[in-house]
Amino acid sequence: MKNAAIELNNVSRKFVSPQGKVTLALRDFSLTVNEGDFCAIVGPTGCGKSTTLGMITGLNPPSSGSVKVFGKPVTGIDPNIGFVFQADAVFPWKSVLDNVAMGPVFRGKDLKLAREMAAEWVRRVGLAGFEHHYPHQLSGGMRKRVALAQTFINEPKILLMDEPFSALDVQTRALMQEELLGLWSEKKASVVFVTHDIDEAIALADRVIVLSKGPGSVKSSHEIPLARPRHVSEARYSDEFVHLSKKIWTDLKDEVQI
């Protein structure tokens, strides 16, 4: 039996503007993600998807309720958590190799060892030969590969991803989804993946959570029975995939319609 990696129990999160206006982003929201599971969250804009990730990291503590990581209350930034953002979190003045090496360096690794580790991860994400290029010399997909290498080199036990591929073209996005699944299958981190794309959620996840419009709460949860290892380009054309997509859209459409 798997243990819980992430537990959010009846959490609510309020934000107060400089003018004193109170906005409730999440209300009575509960979610459990077990060790090694891949969970995707979909929902309308403003439903609290990114806020959920912030509470797991400790950056946005809940206004009420509790958040636990590996059974312990979240009290600050946990080094076991990796985060991949929608925007590239790279240093524009550093090369690909040095960008990837920064995580181990910040964690106290010797620079020479960190660069050796980085060289291996650059190769693993398909960027061999680009070690000494700078971010402005890379395509969007290549920069996203750098972001994955930056994250996985630190061997996170929990991986949080906030619409990481939304800015990519369709073909590159599919390639990056395959890349992510390949890296995840090796390390089996517990993943929470936020996306607006139902098909992306189904292609990647073991379970898809649908949030209501803000203030967000869980509207439904869908287990994804598609076999692993899973190939995105093949899975999305199966009858089971299409059925799941229609089912989840049925739950979601009332929340996104004005």
Side-chain angles (χ1 to χ4, degrees):
M1 183 176 178
K2 293 183 179 180
N3 295 319
I6 301 166
E7 298 172 273
L8 294 92
N9 296 307
N10 295 319
V11 297
S12 296
R13 183 66 168 94
K14 297 177 182 178
F15 293 95
V16 181
S17 73
Q19 294 74 33
K21 180 181 178 182
V22 177
T23 301
L24 186 61
L26 286 167
R27 178 174 57 199
D28 299 328
F29 174 69
S30 295
L31 173 69
T32 298
V33 179
N34 289 328
E35 292 182 8
D37 284 356
F38 197 127
C39 177
I41 299 177
V42 299
T45 298
C47 71
K49 299 186 296 297
S50 296
T51 300
T52 300
L53 300 185
M55 288 193 295
I56 297 169
T57 63
L59 294 173
N60 290 322
S63 303
S64 62
S66 66
V67 182
K68 295 181 179 179
V69 169
F70 298 115
K72 298 180 179 179
V74 173
T75 57
I77 306 301
D78 190 326
N80 289 312
I81 296 177
F83 207 127
V84 181
F85 301 90
Q86 183 175 356
D88 299 321
V90 296
F91 298 111
W93 61 89
K94 288 186 176 292
S95 67
V96 168
L97 185 69
D98 286 336
N99 261 292
V100 177
M102 289 312 297
V105 169
F106 287 150
R107 285 166 168 77
K109 288 282 194 300
D110 173 76
L111 179 59
K112 183 174 183 293
L113 175 59
R115 287 172 66 89
E116 290 173 355
M117 294 168 62
E120 171 62 15
W121 273 102
V122 169
R123 182 193 65 77
R124 291 178 71 175
V125 298
L127 290 178
F130 292 88
E131 292 87 350
H132 303 296
H133 284 59
Y134 288 84
H136 74 274
Q137 298 174 306
L138 306 177
S139 67
M142 294 169 78
R143 289 195 299 272
K144 198 58 67 176
R145 290 176 186 273
V146 174
L148 290 179
Q150 284 178 310
T151 302
F152 277 95
I153 194 173
N154 296 316
E155 299 186 343
K157 295 180 180 178
I158 291 175
L159 181 58
L160 307 179
M161 310 190 78
D162 194 357
E163 299 191 62
F165 306 141
S166 61
L168 302 177
D169 63 76
V170 174
Q171 293 87 351
T172 304
R173 188 170 185 166
L175 290 173
M176 293 311 304
Q177 290 167 353
E178 295 277 10
E179 192 76 45
L180 171 61
L181 285 181
L183 294 172
W184 170 75
S185 66
E186 294 178 30
K187 298 299 181 181
K188 285 294 185 180
S190 306
V191 179
V192 180
F193 188 102
V194 164
T195 179
H196 280 94
D197 188 329
I198 293 174
D199 286 358
E200 180 174 62
I202 296 170
L204 296 174
D206 300 309
R207 180 166 49 116
V208 176
I209 304 295
V210 178
L211 296 191
S212 66
K213 57 189 173 185
S217 59
V218 175
K219 181 172 185 179
S220 60
S221 175
H222 302 264
E223 298 296 325
I224 307 301
L226 302 176
R228 294 198 188 275
R230 190 180 302 168
H231 297 287
V232 174
S233 57
E234 299 172 6
R236 67 174 67 250
Y237 296 110
S238 69
D239 291 340
E240 192 169 23
F241 190 104
V242 174
H243 172 73
L244 286 165
S245 183
K246 290 179 178 178
K247 187 177 179 181
I248 294 173
W249 171 241
T250 298
D251 282 350
L252 184 59
K253 65 180 179 181
D254 290 338
E255 305 302 322
V256 300
Q257 290 174 344
I258 299 175

